[in-house]
Amino acid sequence: TMDQLSAQDWIDFGLKTLAKNGFPALKAEPLARALGVSRGSFYWHFADIGAFHAAVLERWREVATEQIIAGVEAARAAGGDESPLAVLLKVTFRSKHVLEKAVRSWAANDARARAAVAAVDRRRLDYIEGLLTEAGLAGEVARARAQILFWAFFGYALSDQQIAQDKQQAVLDELLRIVTR
């Protein structure tokens, strides 16, 4: 019933659906059917499909960027051996990239998704640049290397190539060495 599904339930299911079936699947009727509820439940929580899409994109930003940054900062606060940049590389390169691909595919066809992706990319780049600046790199160099790291991540995330974890760690160590020296 309507009162059993929260807006968050819809949003979380929307993210899962996006990752699995892509942007075209983010419609009220098929989502309601998959959840076993009436479409009215959807409209109880969202004014329209646009409001739902905005909420899904906002949740993606939280999951794909803010939670990762918070995790890196928590690791730093805990005082581990690894640099924050090493932690960030490990977390991002080892995560599943299905959702990243789905959001970027959506952004190719939708202005709202494109704006969300641009804002997330800017946030990610700024954060990486900050970590590189802390590591002692000058502003312009830090910005350029942040961009290189960013491109390296997307090259990997958007390719279907998978690397065994031990080999992947060697690549990440080398990537870190390249951008921090």
Side-chain angles (χ1 to χ4, degrees), residues 86-123:
V87 172
L88 179 66
L89 289 181
K90 194 181 290 183
V91 170
T92 54
F93 277 79
R94 289 186 181 163
S95 63
K96 298 251 183 284
H97 300 121
V98 181
L99 188 57
E100 193 73 39
K101 288 180 184 179
V103 171
R104 288 180 184 278
S105 171
W106 179 4
N109 302 296
D110 180 83
R112 182 190 318 241
R114 204 162 28 257
V117 165
V120 160
D121 286 355
R122 175 88 271 127
R123 169 79 168 116

Side-chain angles (χ1 to χ4, degrees), residues 127-142:
Y127 182 69
I128 296 166
E129 184 183 347
L131 293 179
L132 289 167
T133 303
E134 279 175 31
L137 299 176
E140 283 303 308
V141 174

Side-chain angles (χ1 to χ4, degrees), residues 60-89:
W60 166 70
R61 184 189 65 75
E62 288 168 18
V63 169
T65 302
E66 299 310 324
Q67 283 181 9
I68 289 171
I69 290 172
V72 170
E73 292 303 319
R76 180 206 305 253
D81 298 341
E82 289 187 301
S83 73
L85 195 54
V87 172
L88 179 66
L89 289 181

Side-chain angles (χ1 to χ4, degrees), residues 21-53:
N21 303 318
F23 163 69
L26 294 184
K27 296 185 174 94
E29 184 63 47
L31 290 172
R33 211 171 25 250
L35 285 166
V37 296
S38 75
R39 217 173 53 199
S41 169
F42 177 90
Y43 291 107
W44 178 261
H45 295 293
F46 305 99
D48 54 33
I49 197 71
F52 175 68
H53 289 167

